Amino acid sequence: MNATNPLLSTAALPAFASIKPEHIAPAIAQLLDETRAALAAATSDATPADYDTLSATLGVATERLGHAWGAVGHLNAVANTPELREAYNGSLPAVTEFFTELGADEKLYAKYKAIAAAPNAASLSAPRQQALKLWLRDFVLSGAELQGEAKARFAAIQERSAELGQQFSEHVLDATDGYAYYATAEELDGVPADAISAALEAAKAEGKEGREATLGRPESPTPPPGADVERRTGGTHKLTLHFPCYLPVMQYASNRDLRARLYRAYVTRASELGEKPELDNTAIIEELLRLRHEEAALLGFTNFAEAAMVAKMADSPTQVLDFLRDLSRRARPFAERDLAELREFAAKELGLPDLQPWDNAFASEKLKEARYAFSDQEVRQYFTVPRVLAGLFDIIERLFNVTISEQPAEVWHDSVKFYQLLRNGALVGQFYLDLYARPGKRPGAWMDEVRSRWARPDGAQQTPVAQLVCNFSSPVGDKPALLSHDDVTTLFHEFGHGLHHLLTQVDELGVSGISGVEWDAVELPSQFMENFCWEWEVIQQLTSHVDSGEALPRELFDKMTAAKNFQSGLQTLRQIEFSVFDMRLHAEKGSETAVQTLLDEVRAEIAVTTAPAFNRSQHSFSHIFAGGYSAGYYSYKWAELLSADAWSAFEVEGVFNAATGQRYLQNVLEVGGSRPAMESFKAFRGREPNIDALLRHQGMA
């Protein structure tokens, strides 16, 4: 099989369409053997402690293994099947074991220390010096200085943690994919026509036009699990927990029982209160936290959060919590005002004197319509995917002197597109774009790297490739897909990450693009890009009404701008709640025994609303339990401060000011992780950041 195994190909791009589950085990086993041989050669006494030698001996092999395993992991996230999952999980322990051993290899650590101590170390380029510094740091964090039983235990923790993270992610995916409610047309009163059409098509695709719909018998809109139900025929619209279906129902459905049903299903996903108890993530959460605290103790830290801070801009968990609580104090009066207005409106105008969590999105949308005389659904008609992409690409081309064009490539789904970036005719980078939600695809939006920019040891220049993934509503019928303004902002956000990866000019693998960037600064370029979505000059380029082709009217844009900070206080406190919960979980020993209690404490401290007792949002909090943001979720607010301050330069100098764009490109995007993020920020702004721009942008100055 090896001769035709696409995972063993040395081609520049993965052959995604050709990769099958049966290719995974033999390919990964072979690449692991080759990489172990490369490690043995690199750590041999006969191999000099030399940067170029280690790069040629070991760097090439590990990059090839990472390239293949990255393709497998990506398919597992966006095209999951039982067969692929089994194959992925079958190789996961061996891959985890190898990279754990690699990071803790004493002989390899000694080679890098020798390079750093050599007389010629000062002559290394600045990017190489930074990469070397980060590698030495990561060796320590990976247990390279541990001995005996401690080292073995550390390795066991890494393998088990990887297994648990994968199980957590699978449970969330399966709980999301596994839920369906077949609603009648009457139940969907108020839901936008395109969402109803999509639900109807989804039911038809399953041949379920006549399937019975399950309706709650109990008087309470939130029946407990196992409650008696009555059935009636006629439910011909499939509703799911995928966000493009879930959100329109929560925002627009006038049927309160329907909103309550979907809300409960959504917030109990993968918990003991969910529809499938076998997908409960409770035990996984507890074991992961216990292992993380044990790992930190082995490394000499008081708790996991302290260990996590070593690779971040922030100095300590205390500094982060102080930052979050200060921001919470500033936002709280605005949040209390937001909530009071919402409750008053819901009681007087909607007949909802007892506003419940499943009413919030519905009441908020109605309040926004009443106050600003427009709806999100009205705005969606102007943001068609083709027009938004054309406008986005034009912005990137104007600001950063590149051209973007679609190119043929093997992809994992027929809706995925592939593009290249050229500058003066030379290839800068390439990216895949996967926009639409579907079964088997992990929820959320993200950017991931296929490969990074690298001056390879053989002299070849490797250009970066990225994957940009979202979960928007698919096109219905012969019309293009429509995006909400929030969707557009999400798309720009992920492209910010993509540009950080693609536009780097650093040739060292460890600090090229997003590699080596502190975790709490990596969101700066992504959140920076969101600001374009609020500029009139940009909006004109992004919009074309799905029926008339007309651009979004200025009057409607002015209403959107007036509503920009609608409920910003509530939204800010919600993010702070998640961030404080995450930090306290990882900073307080024994937290694994009281996860729900701790979350309740955080909500009591931060939130102004009350979550129902059955809410189990932590059970689907993939960012911190399966996505690399453990003790780092605060990064979104931390980087938002940086991005708001960075954007203020464009506000003063002009959104499309070529000189400002070049300064941002050269001082932030191109340098990647080759220097500390604070140095890059100060090089662009000429000073350290302050919070004023963030508060002003959110209407809380």
Side-chain angles (χ1 to χ4, degrees):
M1 178 181 290
N2 287 355
T4 58
N5 193 321
L7 288 170
L8 295 175
S9 170
T10 56
L13 298 172
F16 283 116
S18 303
I19 298 171
K20 307 298 180 188
E22 58 267 26
H23 293 137
I24 296 173
I28 298 304
Q30 178 177 328
L31 292 172
L32 282 170
D33 288 344
E34 293 174 359
T35 311
R36 288 187 189 280
L39 175 61
T43 55
S44 166
D45 292 339
T47 302
D50 173 76
Y51 196 106
D52 286 319
T53 301
L54 286 182
S55 183
T57 308
L58 183 59
V60 171
T62 54
E63 202 263 351
R64 188 181 178 203
L65 171 62
H67 188 67
W69 184 243
V72 174
H74 176 70
L75 289 175
N76 189 59
V78 299
N80 194 282
T81 64
E83 296 78 16
L84 178 63
R85 179 182 295 185
E86 181 180 4
Y88 175 85
N89 288 335
S91 292
L92 179 61
V95 174
T96 304
E97 180 183 19
F98 170 75
F99 280 108
T100 300
E101 292 175 357
L102 181 70
D105 191 285
E106 295 176 36
K107 291 183 177 180
L108 185 61
Y109 183 32
K111 293 282 186 181
Y112 279 104
K113 286 194 289 187
I115 295 172
N120 66 343
S123 65
L124 292 173
S125 68
R128 285 194 166 191
Q129 290 189 39
Q130 179 70 359
L132 185 58
K133 175 184 175 182
L134 297 181
W135 280 327
L136 292 174
R137 178 201 71 190
D138 291 344
F139 271 113
V140 175
L141 295 177
S142 298
E145 296 184 344
L146 298 177
Q147 300 294 324
E149 291 183 7
K151 193 162 194 170
R153 179 56 185 160
F154 187 90
I157 288 173
Q158 303 311 301
E159 182 174 336
R160 180 58 177 161
S161 295
E163 179 183 342
L164 290 170
Q166 172 62 13
Q167 289 177 7
F168 186 98
S169 183
E170 288 176 359
H171 286 180
V172 175
L173 176 62
D174 290 348
T176 304
D177 280 351
Y179 180 87
Y181 175 70
Y182 296 84
T184 64
E186 291 77 13
E187 289 178 283
L188 295 178
D189 178 58
V191 176
D194 58 337
I196 293 176
S197 296
L200 185 63
E201 291 298 319
K204 285 183 178 179
E206 296 182 351
K208 303 281 181 71
E209 295 93 331
R211 182 190 174 105
E212 291 184 329
T214 304
L215 303 175
R217 180 190 296 275
E219 294 181 5
S220 167
T222 55
D228 290 338
V229 296
E230 62 178 343
R231 294 182 179 274
R232 79 170 179 224
T233 58
T236 58
H237 300 75
K238 181 183 179 181
L239 302 182
T240 73
L241 301 181
H242 291 285
F243 217 63
C245 176
Y246 174 77
L247 183 60
V249 173
M250 300 308 295
Q251 281 184 307
Y252 297 104
S254 57
N255 187 312
R256 196 184 194 194
D257 285 357
L258 179 64
R259 298 197 307 269
R261 177 182 295 281
L262 260 65
Y263 173 85
R264 184 185 184 99
Y266 192 82
V267 302
T268 58
R269 285 177 302 160
S271 78
E272 80 281 14
L273 301 180
E275 286 202 335
K276 297 182 178 180
E278 67 271 20
L279 300 179
D280 180 12
N281 274 334
T282 300
I284 292 174
I285 291 172
E286 293 173 354
E287 186 176 356
L288 269 174
L289 290 170
R290 187 164 56 249
L291 291 175
R292 288 171 181 176
H293 287 309
E294 183 182 356
E295 173 189 327
L298 287 170
L299 295 174
F301 294 98
T302 305
N303 53 62
F304 183 84
E306 281 191 3
M309 291 297 105
V310 175
K312 296 185 172 67
M313 285 181 71
D315 295 327
S316 67
T318 299
Q319 183 191 19
V320 170
L321 287 170
D322 287 346
F323 162 73
L324 292 170
R325 285 172 170 141
D326 176 56
L327 189 56
S328 172
R329 177 182 58 79
R330 296 169 184 260
R332 191 173 189 85
F334 297 92
E336 290 173 340
R337 183 193 65 189
D338 291 342
L339 181 59
E341 292 174 346
L342 184 64
R343 284 176 171 166
E344 181 181 7
F345 176 83
K348 289 184 177 180
E349 305 298 332
L350 304 177
L352 295 172
D354 59 332
L355 193 70
Q356 297 294 331
W358 47 90
D359 301 321
N360 288 341
F362 176 75
S364 294
E365 181 61 27
K366 294 297 185 184
L367 174 57
K368 186 166 67 174
E369 291 176 14
R371 178 175 296 173
Y372 302 105
F374 80 96
S375 69
D376 285 346
Q377 181 61 16
E378 179 184 1
V379 172
R380 286 184 78 238
Q381 307 308 306
Y382 290 92
F383 288 107
T384 65
V385 164
R387 183 65 176 177
V388 170
L389 288 179
L392 171 58
F393 292 171
D394 181 67
I395 292 169
I396 295 170
E397 291 176 343
R398 290 173 64 183
L399 269 183
F400 305 125
N401 189 30
V402 295
T403 57
I404 302 174
S405 60
E406 186 176 348
Q407 301 293 317
E410 278 200 50
V411 294
W412 51 92
H413 189 268
D414 58 12
S415 66
V416 177
K417 306 295 183 184
F418 182 72
Y419 300 87
Q420 68 177 14
L421 282 75
L422 300 178
R423 180 179 289 135
N424 300 323
L427 182 64
V428 174
Q430 299 159 301
F431 63 91
Y432 298 86
L433 187 59
D434 183 355
L435 292 179
Y436 306 117
R438 57 181 177 270
K441 182 178 179 182
R442 178 162 60 87
W446 66 92
M447 189 284 293
D448 203 357
E449 53 192 84
V450 179
R451 67 168 192 240
S452 299
R453 181 180 170 97
W454 187 24
R456 298 181 65 91
D458 61 5
Q461 178 63 59
Q462 179 170 290
T463 52
V465 181
Q467 295 151 343
L468 301 168
V469 183
C470 297
N471 271 280
F472 301 144
S473 298
S474 299
V476 177
D478 58 356
K479 290 190 174 183
L482 302 177
L483 304 180
S484 69
H485 189 255
D486 282 346
D487 290 339
V488 175
T489 303
T490 296
L491 181 63
F492 272 65
H493 179 105
E494 298 309 330
F495 261 88
H497 285 308
L499 293 172
H500 201 185
H501 178 66
L502 295 170
L503 298 181
T504 185
Q505 290 297 298
V506 177
D507 288 327
E508 293 303 321
L509 206 54
V511 290
S512 170
I514 63 172
S515 298
V517 178
E518 297 96 320
W519 200 252
D520 44 5
V522 80
E523 296 292 336
L524 164 58
S526 55
Q527 294 181 335
F528 169 86
M529 284 296 292
E530 294 181 23
N531 292 285
F532 284 102
C533 302
W534 290 102
E535 296 293 329
W536 171 239
E537 185 178 357
V538 173
I539 289 293
Q540 290 174 287
Q541 298 180 43
L542 298 180
T543 54
S544 174
H545 193 279
V546 65
D547 295 322
S548 69
E550 296 178 357
L552 187 106
R554 180 61 194 246
E555 179 185 6
L556 181 52
F557 175 73
D558 288 342
K559 293 176 182 178
M560 293 168 58
T561 303
K564 177 183 178 183
N565 292 317
F566 177 65
Q567 297 185 340
S568 64
L570 285 172
Q571 293 166 10
T572 297
L573 287 193
R574 180 169 172 78
Q575 286 297 100
I576 294 173
E577 175 189 316
F578 291 151
S579 301
V580 172
F581 171 63
D582 166 46
M583 187 56 66
R584 285 191 57 187
L585 269 183
H586 293 99
E588 298 177 13
K589 285 187 175 180
S591 60
E592 69 275 7
T593 65
V595 175
Q596 187 64 51
T597 300
L598 193 152
L599 179 54
D600 291 341
E601 289 178 7
V602 171
R603 285 171 172 164
E605 175 192 0
I606 304 297
V608 294
T609 58
T610 302
F614 61 77
N615 186 297
R616 295 291 185 272
S617 60
Q618 68 270 30
H619 286 71
S620 56
F621 199 175
S622 297
H623 274 79
I624 68 170
F625 293 120
Y629 277 83
S630 48
Y633 196 78
Y634 77 92
S635 300
Y636 285 101
K637 299 311 292 185
W638 187 276
E640 198 172 345
L641 184 156
L642 302 176
S643 66
D645 204 350
W647 180 255
S648 62
F650 285 80
E651 290 179 311
V652 172
E653 300 168 24
V655 173
F656 289 109
N657 185 294
T660 311
Q662 279 298 302
R663 199 166 77 245
Y664 176 74
L665 172 66
Q666 293 168 1
N667 289 306
V668 177
L669 298 181
E670 289 187 345
V671 299
S674 65
R675 65 185 180 192
M678 183 59 77
E679 290 185 20
S680 295
F681 183 90
K682 289 194 292 187
F684 173 60
R685 290 297 278 133
R687 55 165 175 76
E688 292 191 358
N690 64 62
I691 200 171
D692 294 347
L694 172 61
L695 296 174
R696 176 170 54 83
H697 281 192
Q698 296 188 342
M700 298 188 295

